[in-house]
Amino acid sequence: MEDINSKVDEEVNVVTRTEMLRQLDSLQEWDVIVIGGGATGLGIAMDAASRRYRTLLVEQADFAKGTSSKATKLVHGGVRYMAQGDLGLVREACYERGLLLKNAPHITKNELFVIPNYTWLDHIKYTIGLKFYDFLAGRLSLGTSKYISKQETLEALPTIKSEGLKGGVTYHDGQFDDARLALNIAQTAIEHGACVLNYMKVTGFIKSNNQKVVGVEMKDVETNRIFRAMGKTIINATGVYVDSIIQMDRPEASNMIRPSKGVHITIDRSFLPGEHALMIPQTSDGRVLFAVPWHNKLIVGTTDTLYDKAELEPEAVEDDIAFILETAGAYLTRKPRRSDVEAVFAGLRPLAAPRGEGAKTKEISRSHKIMVAKSGLITITGGKWTTFRKMAQDTLQKAIEVGSIHSSKCITARLPIHGFQESVDRQNPLHFYGSDLEKLNQLIMANPEWAEPLVEGYPFNRAQVVWAVRFEYARKVEDVLARRFRLLLLNASAAIAVAPEIARIMAQELGRDSWWVQKELDDFRALAQAYRGNPILETA
């Protein structure tokens, strides 16, 4: 057994966190230092490393802990941005969507969306509008949109309200697992030589005599050990935290970001059975709402409201949840109730602060912005998950233009992402491991007792916990249950129930004691209560 385990470890050939800490100690100067381990920062690290720049990325928490694990799970061009006239963003996002589905087919998929129409005017408007959406996608289109009859709409969405229904329009967009993709991007960067560290918090900048930023000071959150790293170019890719990093450089700088909160709920698939997703193009306050099948559940969202401060775990209040339930219930024959909600999750979008009286976040462009401070600090903000690769390319191009690093060609448009596998068996609930699945199965064969399911009704076992620790940089119970397994976002109560077993396995793998186990459980339970949304039980 031990020999087989060693063989699996050898074949995976992972660079451990300990080895990367040694690398951090030994390298005198990096070409690129990236602050922030969300989609944007990880994309920059992958791009930089694949260009052979000496690349360091540090993240204060886990990879994609914030916004990047709490998206609507869509790789999309952005149908609603057409109505705002932001056609450049839609074209760019459609192009990037096509590239991503080619580069990471194990973690992305082509999803068919249905817009039910209850007026003939809407029927005409969305049919024509989505044809233009197809046109903007060009040669990387995922499929053509089309008008469908009332009967075809009901066949595609069997639980949609039929009263007043005129027909529907179908169109194609992408779907993905956001946190798993973020992890795969981190792994790709590491495979190209990057040093990528979670739980490494930047505490200050190192400046030259002429006040240029030439390095960063960091603290290992696990050990409180202080590190210093010198770099030719320092990139601030911290999402809703960009202001705090800018103010670390210039304390007098005013805030340029106003977070926008997006809330989603998870309910049972029986509310919308089948493989098609529902798109509600205009809610009571003008926003868009999606109901998307995901990991055998239904994700419904999102809200889009201004939020006062940057947080890794923003609160989903009852008003947010009620709005989603009410809007979904207006279209479904069976209205979801508060007690049907199995999980609630919220994330913050880093938007430019809206200007003027009554400005709304839904009216702000999602295009990204790149700024270079007098100190040389480069900040990237805005954008959306779908365009992470282009955002990375543009950021490094800016670094080249200002002379921070030498010119080198971007290759990420055709770069397979870790786990890449052309043939994907989507019937296998663990298909998202991609090419790693074979090695995971070898680990299970070496340790048959690890194959036992951890939670009834979910495809998670002990071997996957071991895998997450050994090969996926999981350091905390939350890392496994929220981002490696996604169980916290699927069923928060189930995640709470299995947490003690996860903590026990992780403690054995990480060499932790009983005090660590208890603290992890206390921390996780406190976090998970918010994902349950403190549900108010309803009477029949």
Side-chain angles (χ1 to χ4, degrees):
M1 293 290 186
E2 196 172 319
D3 288 345
I4 301 176
N5 278 323
S6 299
K7 185 172 182 289
V8 173
D9 288 357
E10 219 171 85
E11 285 182 3
V12 175
N13 194 29
V14 69
V15 181
T16 66
R17 189 174 190 273
T18 301
E19 289 169 333
M20 284 191 282
L21 288 173
R22 290 196 199 105
Q23 189 182 357
L24 181 56
D25 260 337
S26 62
L27 194 60
Q28 296 300 309
E29 185 183 50
W30 302 85
D31 294 316
V32 177
I33 297 177
V34 185
I35 308 169
T40 306
L42 291 168
I44 294 168
M46 179 178 75
D47 190 341
S50 65
R51 299 191 202 204
R52 299 186 180 277
Y53 295 135
R54 291 169 299 180
T55 304
L56 168 67
L57 177 142
V58 291
E59 160 59 42
Q60 66 173 333
D62 187 27
F63 306 126
K65 155 76 174 174
T67 308
S68 295
S69 62
K70 296 161 184 170
T72 315
K73 320 309 176 194
L74 302 181
V75 184
H76 61 142
V79 171
R80 69 181 172 127
Y81 304 137
M82 287 196 305
Q84 298 172 10
D86 205 342
L87 302 184
L89 174 61
V90 176
R91 181 189 291 275
E92 178 180 271
C94 285
Y95 178 75
E96 293 299 322
R97 177 193 67 182
L99 292 181
L100 186 53
L101 265 69
K102 287 179 179 293
N103 292 335
H106 63 293
I107 202 80
T108 62
K109 63 172 284 198
N110 186 335
E111 180 68 66
L112 187 71
F113 289 75
V114 182
I115 301 177
N117 297 319
Y118 290 87
T119 70
W120 289 116
L121 180 61
D122 281 349
H123 208 43
I124 295 167
K125 179 171 68 174
Y126 295 125
T127 300
I128 295 172
L130 286 165
K131 285 299 177 187
F132 191 55
Y133 192 57
D134 296 341
F135 170 74
L136 290 174
R139 62 184 178 83
L140 287 177
S141 171
L142 303 184
T144 57
S145 61
K146 66 176 184 177
Y147 154 84
I148 57 174
S149 67
K150 176 180 177 178
Q151 184 58 38
E152 289 172 315
T153 304
L154 290 171
E155 288 172 4
L157 303 173
T159 54
I160 202 77
K161 285 188 174 176
S162 61
E163 185 180 348
L165 183 67
K166 307 302 181 187
V169 185
T170 64
Y171 72 97
H172 293 260
D173 248 327
Q175 191 199 30
F176 75 139
D177 186 316
D178 47 10
R180 295 289 315 180
L181 177 60
L183 172 66
N184 287 163
I185 294 168
Q187 291 168 312
T188 308
I190 293 166
E191 287 161 2
H192 283 83
C195 178
V196 177
L197 290 162
N198 54 358
Y199 296 102
M200 184 66 72
K201 182 178 176 62
V202 169
T203 55
F205 288 121
I206 302 167
K207 292 193 173 183
S208 65
N209 291 336
N210 62 356
Q211 293 303 299
K212 295 291 184 183
V213 172
V214 294
V216 296
E217 291 183 343
M218 305 159 286
K219 181 177 76 172
D220 184 343
V221 175
E222 291 188 355
T223 64
N224 290 325
R225 184 184 165 195
I226 302 300
F227 291 85
R228 289 164 60 92
M230 309 301 289
K232 293 178 181 177
T233 187
I234 317 296
I235 299 171
N236 173 14
T238 53
V240 293
Y241 287 96
V242 295
D243 286 331
S244 63
I245 299 297
I246 289 171
Q247 288 157 8
M248 203 177 279
D249 173 33
R250 291 185 299 117
E252 74 283 2
S254 59
N255 287 347
M256 56 176 289
I257 292 300
R258 181 70 187 274
S260 162
K261 181 176 63 174
V263 174
H264 299 80
I265 65 170
T266 307
I267 57 179
D268 193 80
R269 276 288 291 278
S270 61
F271 284 96
L272 190 70
E275 296 302 315
H276 303 323
L278 166 67
M279 195 268 219
I280 301 169
Q282 191 162 10
T283 62
S284 58
D285 66 352
R287 293 190 292 242
V288 171
L289 198 80
F290 292 97
V292 184
W294 189 68
H295 289 304
N296 208 32
K297 295 289 184 180
L298 194 67
I299 300 290
V300 189
T302 178
T303 61
D304 194 353
T305 52
L306 288 174
Y307 201 70
D308 290 333
K309 57 183 178 179
E311 288 181 326
L312 286 172
E313 294 291 348
E315 181 185 7
V317 297
E318 287 299 324
D319 284 351
D320 297 325
I321 299 165
F323 169 80
I324 296 172
L325 288 170
E326 183 182 345
T327 305
Y331 286 82
L332 300 175
T333 54
R334 178 182 160 213
K335 291 186 176 183
R337 299 185 301 173
R338 185 62 181 84
S339 55
D340 294 314
V341 177
E342 298 183 24
V344 179
F345 58 96
L348 298 179
R349 307 174 187 89
L351 303 182
R355 308 296 180 191
E357 193 71 27
K360 298 177 181 178
T361 60
K362 66 187 178 65
E363 296 165 356
I364 301 172
S365 172
R366 262 47 172 185
S367 296
H368 58 276
K369 298 175 180 63
I370 301 168
M371 294 145 288
V372 184
K374 288 181 180 178
S375 65
L377 176 68
I378 297 175
T379 295
I380 167 81
T381 188
K384 53 205 289 280
W385 231 122
T386 306
T387 59
F388 84 96
R389 190 208 65 84
K390 182 63 163 58
M391 293 165 68
Q393 181 179 344
D394 290 351
T395 304
L396 289 173
Q397 182 58 38
K398 178 61 71 174
I400 292 169
E401 288 171 5
V402 300
S404 303
I405 49 177
H406 64 273
S407 181
S408 182
K409 185 180 178 182
C410 175
I411 65 169
T412 54
R414 300 290 182 271
L415 182 67
I417 291 172
H418 179 94
F420 176 90
Q421 198 171 42
E422 284 191 26
S423 178
V424 182
D425 177 13
R426 300 197 184 278
Q427 298 306 308
N428 186 334
L430 301 183
H431 71 269
F432 54 82
Y433 281 98
S435 59
D436 281 341
L437 185 55
E438 182 182 349
K439 300 181 186 74
L440 173 61
N441 286 333
Q442 288 176 18
L443 192 65
I444 295 171
M445 287 174 62
N447 306 273
E449 70 279 9
W450 290 356
E452 183 184 341
L454 288 165
V455 188
E456 186 178 351
Y458 296 90
F460 307 123
N461 58 44
R462 287 166 172 76
Q464 290 169 263
V465 184
V466 173
W467 184 273
V469 174
R470 290 186 188 177
F471 308 122
E472 295 182 340
Y473 305 101
R475 311 297 295 177
K476 297 171 68 66
V477 168
E478 177 200 338
D479 299 346
V480 172
L481 285 171
R483 288 171 292 280
R484 307 307 185 272
F485 283 7
R486 314 317 312 273
L487 184 59
L488 183 59
L489 278 67
L490 297 172
N491 188 319
S493 295
I496 292 170
V498 78
E501 181 63 10
I502 301 292
R504 186 192 67 76
I505 299 168
M506 291 187 73
Q508 190 170 7
E509 281 295 310
L510 292 168
R512 306 296 197 227
D513 58 18
S514 58
W515 181 89
W516 181 89
V517 169
Q518 190 56 54
K519 184 170 189 315
E520 278 296 300
L521 290 177
D522 290 344
D523 289 349
F524 181 74
R525 285 167 182 152
L527 170 76
Q529 287 300 330
Y531 281 73
R532 293 173 69 181
N534 299 314
I536 301 166
L537 295 178
E538 298 177 40
T539 55

